[in-house]
Amino acid sequence: MTNQIKPNYNALFKLTILSIFFLISINCDAQEKIIRKEIFTADIGSRVIKKVDVKEIKFSPGQKTGLHKHPCPVISYIVSGTVFFQIEGDTLQTLKAGDVAFEPADKTIVRFDNASKTKSLVFIPYYLINDEKTLIEMLPSKQNE
């Protein structure tokens, strides 16, 4: 007569479950943590936004927008290049890749120009639209500029 060892299935099951949980926890710890970096916050008041229209816009070296305004708020992320940005009454800002420009609705934008004479500018504007039909209104140049 041979001695047979009967497996303890209950203990084997518990060991298997513990091993799975251990492997899952190692895998979770090995994954990279998501890092959220604050870039920009804009106060748009109580404006109703029905749609967000996102574009990619490329400027040639030295290209200028000209005096303009938007009927809706516009938040632009600078992908590459450098931009001279100025809202009427504010100081001139120089923004680079990774920066954000905020153009409030109905405010005159004096400059949104490619600052480089040799490199292109690429930016992604987010137009926060309610019922507006146009995205930009070009304004006549001022005489002293």
Side-chain angles (χ1 to χ4, degrees):
M1 192 178 244
T2 58
N3 287 341
Q4 286 187 331
I5 300 174
K6 290 184 180 180
N8 183 342
Y9 290 111
N10 191 26
L12 186 59
F13 176 75
K14 286 180 183 176
L15 182 60
T16 302
I17 295 299
L18 285 174
S19 298
I20 290 170
F21 281 132
F22 177 73
L23 291 173
I24 289 172
S25 70
I26 288 175
N27 189 34
C28 288
D29 289 342
Q31 291 179 353
E32 290 186 42
K33 298 205 183 321
I34 296 172
I35 299 170
R36 289 175 174 84
K37 176 183 165 188
E38 184 72 31
I39 296 176
F40 186 81
T41 301
D43 182 0
I44 58 168
S46 59
R47 178 180 187 82
V48 174
I49 299 170
K50 294 182 179 176
K51 178 171 82 169
V52 178
D53 193 353
V54 182
K55 309 279 188 198
E56 180 184 75
I57 299 177
K58 296 178 183 182
F59 279 19
S60 300
Q63 185 173 352
K64 298 178 180 184
T65 302
L67 203 62
H68 70 280
K69 66 180 178 177
H70 300 279
C72 62
V74 182
I75 299 171
S76 295
Y77 179 79
I78 312 304
V79 176
S80 63
T82 306
V83 64
F84 289 136
F85 174 60
Q86 185 176 16
I87 299 171
E88 189 171 62
D90 290 351
T91 57
L92 178 66
Q93 299 176 53
T94 302
L95 305 175
K96 61 186 182 341
D99 289 339
V100 173
F102 175 57
E103 299 173 78
D106 299 316
K107 294 275 190 168
T108 299
I109 308 303
V110 178
R111 295 190 70 182
F112 198 104
D113 306 333
N114 186 347
S116 175
K117 301 285 185 208
T118 59
K119 295 181 182 175
S120 296
L121 165 68
V122 178
F123 62 99
I124 300 176
Y126 297 78
Y127 298 89
L128 310 180
I129 299 169
N130 184 356
D131 290 322
E132 295 82 11
K133 303 297 182 221
T134 60
L135 298 178
I136 189 169
E137 177 187 349
M138 299 308 296
L139 302 172
S141 296
K142 297 192 177 183
Q143 294 296 330
N144 296 341
E145 293 186 339

